[in-house]
Amino acid sequence: MPYSTLENLTSLIPMQELINLTNDEALARDIKVVNKKQVENAISYADELINSYLRNKYRLPLKFVPQIITQISVDIAAFRLYSRRPRKLPEHIKDSYDTAIKTLSEIQKEHIILDLPHEHPEKEVSKPAPMIITNKGANSKIFSDDVMKGFRL
């Protein structure tokens, strides 16, 4: 399951701009639809990058995707789509990408902890061992303390 969607990307990139970024011949042919394959490739790249940071910290793929991961995926995918074009990258896209990478680094260093206790292998708590019941007491020893004193070196 991808961490973000085309709908998530439209919250950052206007639809017409998304059409221009994903269709190589959009202007020449007057194409008015988003090339979904390009969007899927950008999201896939973003998700792989996210997973590379989370790999040793959380079980992947994440069963529950927190909002912060969705936003990171959107920011990286948007950067990826804009970087397909030879023109200057918008400053807010570059800043969002830099922030996303910094946040992933902070998650990797555990300065930021995702609220996923069931997916954090190092933090799982094992069930307590069952209680052992015995019919022996302190006075029912075969080897008493006096007998054991003779074996000390």
Side-chain angles (χ1 to χ4, degrees), residues 12 49 53 71-72 74-80 89-106 112:
L12 182 63
L49 186 59
Y53 278 89
Q71 189 58 52
I72 289 170
V74 167
D75 292 340
I76 294 170
F79 180 84
R80 185 78 170 174
L89 197 65
E91 198 62 36
H92 73 284
I93 297 295
K94 184 176 179 344
D95 291 344
S96 295
Y97 174 80
D98 291 341
T99 301
I101 297 300
K102 184 177 179 182
T103 303
L104 284 173
S105 181
E106 294 295 309
I112 297 174

Side-chain angles (χ1 to χ4, degrees), residues 37-49:
K37 185 68 176 166
Q38 290 294 341
V39 172
E40 289 169 6
N41 288 342
I43 290 172
S44 177
Y45 172 83
D47 293 353
E48 279 300 314
L49 186 59

Side-chain angles (χ1 to χ4, degrees), residues 6 9-10 12-23 26-27 31 33-35 39 78 81-85 87-90 92-93:
L6 172 61
L9 270 171
T10 59
L12 182 63
I13 304 171
M15 186 57 79
Q16 187 58 50
E17 183 73 8
L18 205 51
I19 291 168
N20 293 339
L21 289 171
T22 59
N23 286 302
L27 296 176
I31 297 174
V33 294
V34 173
N35 182 335
V39 172
L81 289 172
Y82 271 100
S83 65
R84 294 182 68 241
R85 299 292 179 225
R87 62 188 166 150
K88 186 173 178 180
L89 197 65
H92 73 284
I93 297 295

Side-chain angles (χ1 to χ4, degrees), residues 111-134:
H111 294 162
I112 297 174
I113 304 292
L114 299 178
D115 190 17
L116 305 170
H118 61 285
E119 295 185 18
H120 203 290
E122 295 85 28
K123 304 293 186 212
E124 287 184 0
V125 179
S126 60
K127 293 181 181 178
M131 194 161 112
I132 298 173
I133 300 174
T134 180

